[in-house]
Amino acid sequence: MHSASPETPGLATAGARSPAVATNNGAIFTGDTTIQAPLVLPAPADVPAPHGMHNLPRPVGHRFVGRSAEMATLEEALGPRNERAATHVVTQAMSGLGGIGKSTLALHFAHTHRTGYTAVWWIDAETPETIAGSLAQLTIRAHPGTNTSGVPSAVLAEWALAWLDSHPGWLLVFDNATHPDHLAPYLARLTSGDHLITSRLTYGWHDLAATPLHLDVLTPTAATSLLYQLTGSDPSSEATAAQELADELGYLPLALEQAGAYIRRTRNTYSAYLHRLRTQTARMLNTPGNGDPHSITIARTWSVTLDTIAERDPLAVHLLRVMAWLAPHDIPRDLLKGIADEPDADTDALALLNDFSMITLTESTTAVHRLVQALARTPDPKDPHRSDTAISQAQSTAATLIQDALPDDPETSTAGWPRWRTLLPHIDAYLTHTHPETDTAETDGILYSASQFLRGQGQLSQATQYAQRSVTTSARLNGEDHPDTLISRNHLASAYESAGDLGRAIP
Ligand SMILES: Nc1ncnc2c1ncn2[C@@H]1O[C@H](COP(=O)(O)OP(=O)(O)OP(=O)(O)O)[C@@H](O)[C@H]1O
Ligand SMILES: [Mg+2]
């Protein structure tokens, strides 16, 4: 039932506690109480846009690298110069993995074109409350010298919307949106400006915006140049190590920044950092570069997203941990089919991971950033998603999935060869990430079959390497004289023979 405000005739709420805003006088009636602010805000249309009004959180500065293609895409869709902002509303969403550089690109775009817009307003879009709070700040900015402290945020936000409506040609950046529904009311209401949305979410934007721009990692050149700028070190002295480090960090801006700041602060070398990253992965990904323990780190950035994903479907997080043992790219989706008994549970889990940009999904393959993998392979007792048990289970599931996918008769059955070729990078990754001393019977099976396939293909160096590891594993698990060990040894001898190493071709 609608209830009338005792102090403002004609003002009613849609129900108890739903706010109704009186015309610009700062009164809000919540159904059972009226808060009367002693302030009358002028009509929004009468308040001119202060010259160059913006609230951009920081300058992007000289450190901004790369992204020229992405800037061009944004400029094609948005921008004051195309004059659409004055008469239409254009909405562009940008999605991508945490730390990939969405907010930084939005900030760079906003700074570059700031002077062409009536106003540029940065909105913390994490929750409906933060959105209203950011809009309220616009009203406060538009009334310098006025004490607005007694006016509720909802009233201030409402005034901001009315002001935007009467001053076309603005840019609103909704940063870090966590649900399209939080934005929909604003996007529907405002009709004459540009909206730029950043979000880790890949889904839900098609209904609100033009095709979302999905951000990928930096190019190798841009990534190395960012490292040089961050460390301030002479590029010529350690160029190869810097490139190797950028590669190991998967060209991910947040990781490069964390590493660069750490190297600069500790006066370390690129190679020393690389060594520590490889030997103490979890620690380095969780160490803020600037030494401030509250600073955001790669590990923390992703664990928040994983919390949300785990709440919706724990299988998705398990699946991510399983993928961590495979190669980062071109993981065949059918390899992951056996992850759950329920039909299509794998499809749902993959879709969820893709929704939050933790993986990249195509019809037949999936890809995971190599640092996400590195983190998901490394136990951390403080991280609920990376317990020792969960990680060992994922490793063993990865081995089972690989073994179940191996075609029979690797040396002779040519029909299975294409499948072998798609599986080999994942077998190789699995064997690289696992220690020979912990190889199981399942791993031995993979080693033996892969070695047979490689020998048949003439890839003899790798064939002998796998065969050797298979012999060692079988001897450790079954004993030196066990028939399986003898078969492996025999196979190793024939691999050496094929390689022309006759000295070692005796089993
Ligand atoms: N093009 C770039 N040039 C230089 N530094 C960059 C670039 N892109 C990102 N960075 C740096 O990398 C870090 C992470 O970037 P940013 O915060 O923009 O990521 P994000 O995608 O918005 O992440 P999140 O999803 O956590 O909000 C920032 O500290 C930023 O300074
Ligand atoms: Mg961001």
Side-chain angles (χ1 to χ4, degrees):
M1 204 185 80
H2 292 204
S3 44
S5 158
E7 295 181 20
T8 316
L11 175 62
T13 67
R17 291 192 186 282
S18 58
V21 178
T23 317
N24 306 322
N25 68 353
I28 185 164
F29 177 58
T30 65
D32 49 16
T33 23
T34 302
I35 307 152
Q36 186 67 48
L39 176 69
V40 175
L41 295 175
D46 297 341
V47 177
H51 181 69
M53 180 162 97
H54 78 89
N55 70 335
L56 296 176
R58 57 178 193 279
V60 183
H62 59 278
R63 266 196 211 139
F64 187 82
V65 298
R67 301 297 190 206
S68 46
E70 292 86 348
M71 267 297 272
T73 304
L74 291 183
E75 279 163 350
E76 202 165 299
L78 309 171
R81 271 169 299 157
N82 67 19
E83 290 178 2
R84 272 182 293 183
T87 51
H88 291 76
V89 67
V90 181
T91 303
Q92 176 71 55
M94 244 196 297
S95 61
L97 180 65
I100 203 110
K102 302 176 292 293
S103 302
T104 305
L105 179 56
L107 197 60
H108 183 64
F109 176 84
H111 272 297
T112 308
H113 297 289
R114 187 162 56 80
T115 52
Y117 284 110
T118 15
V120 173
W121 211 249
W122 189 269
I123 295 171
D124 174 355
E126 195 165 350
T127 65
E129 290 73 29
T130 59
I131 297 175
S134 300
L135 285 168
Q137 288 300 321
L138 187 152
T139 304
I140 294 167
R141 180 73 69 82
H143 297 87
T146 307
N147 181 1
T148 48
S149 56
V151 186
S153 275
V155 174
L156 295 172
E158 183 59 34
W159 191 96
L161 292 176
W163 185 88
L164 289 165
D165 254 348
S166 50
H167 294 79
W170 36 258
L171 168 68
L172 294 185
V173 181
F174 288 90
D175 184 44
N176 195 21
T178 52
H179 202 291
D181 285 356
H182 299 165
L183 274 56
Y186 300 98
L187 303 192
R189 158 88 190 264
L190 293 166
T191 52
S192 56
D194 284 348
H195 296 290
L196 178 55
I197 303 164
T198 84
S199 177
R200 290 185 193 173
L201 282 182
T202 57
Y203 77 92
W205 303 116
H206 282 93
D207 296 340
L208 298 176
T211 313
L213 172 62
H214 191 71
L215 273 202
D216 206 340
V217 293
L218 294 172
T219 60
T221 315
T224 319
S225 137
L226 181 57
L227 264 186
Y228 291 155
Q229 293 184 41
L230 289 160
T231 57
S233 84
D234 175 15
S236 60
S237 61
E238 256 208 313
T240 312
Q243 278 157 17
E244 225 177 301
L245 177 57
D247 184 63
E248 186 86 12
L249 294 170
Y251 312 115
L252 186 82
L254 180 60
L256 293 160
E257 183 150 291
Q258 201 172 306
Y262 185 90
I263 291 169
R264 184 179 199 122
R265 209 178 117 250
T266 55
R267 295 187 170 47
N268 228 319
T269 59
Y270 293 113
S271 13
Y273 187 91
L274 191 57
H275 177 72
R276 290 193 64 184
L277 185 66
R278 282 176 179 158
T279 51
Q280 304 171 48
T281 313
R283 177 144 185 243
M284 294 320 279
L285 294 181
N286 213 9
T287 303
N290 58 9
D292 173 359
H294 302 295
S295 267
I296 201 73
T297 60
I298 284 287
R300 256 176 262 157
T301 294
W302 295 333
S303 94
V304 177
T305 302
L306 289 181
D307 289 345
T308 314
I309 294 175
E311 236 171 66
R312 296 200 196 170
D313 184 2
L315 178 69
V317 183
H318 176 56
L319 188 54
L320 189 71
R321 282 189 294 256
V322 170
M323 284 190 272
W325 297 94
L326 308 174
H329 298 290
D330 298 319
I331 302 171
R333 284 178 63 163
D334 56 12
L335 176 63
L336 307 169
K337 271 260 163 258
I339 189 106
D341 296 334
E342 271 173 70
D344 294 328
D346 58 305
T347 307
D348 294 339
L350 285 172
L352 184 62
L353 290 168
N354 186 58
D355 284 348
F356 283 89
S357 302
M358 292 306 293
I359 62 168
T360 308
L361 198 58
T362 71
E363 248 171 56
S364 55
T365 64
T366 176
V368 199
H369 192 275
R370 57 182 301 158
L371 280 191
V372 173
Q373 289 186 310
L375 207 68
R377 280 194 310 265
T378 330
D380 179 350
K382 284 185 253 129
D383 185 340
H385 309 298
R386 294 191 287 138
S387 70
D388 249 330
T389 325
I391 286 179
S392 323
Q393 265 171 8
Q395 182 193 330
S396 128
T397 306
T400 309
L401 293 176
I402 293 174
Q403 188 167 45
D404 291 351
L406 298 180
D408 294 330
D409 303 326
E411 275 178 290
T412 50
S413 175
T414 53
W417 287 2
R419 179 65 165 166
W420 268 106
R421 290 190 189 109
T422 51
L423 290 175
L424 263 188
H426 304 292
I427 293 172
D428 189 42
Y430 181 82
L431 295 171
T432 306
H433 296 317
T434 49
H435 298 289
E437 314 87 71
T438 60
D439 280 348
T440 60
E442 215 153 31
T443 316
D444 185 23
I446 297 170
L447 283 164
Y448 183 74
S449 303
S451 169
Q452 282 185 305
F453 173 71
L454 289 163
R455 184 178 156 237
Q457 300 296 306
Q459 291 172 251
L460 300 172
S461 143
Q462 205 170 9
T464 43
Q465 214 183 314
Y466 284 179
Q468 179 66 67
R469 188 162 157 181
S470 167
V471 171
T472 314
T473 305
S474 186
R476 175 170 53 78
L477 295 177
N478 311 312
E480 291 286 351
D481 299 327
H482 190 277
D484 283 356
T485 311
L486 298 178
I487 291 172
S488 282
R489 207 178 285 291
N490 222 10
H491 171 67
L492 173 64
S494 49
Y496 277 134
E497 189 181 9
S498 307
D501 188 347
L502 298 179
R504 291 202 267 184
I506 300 156

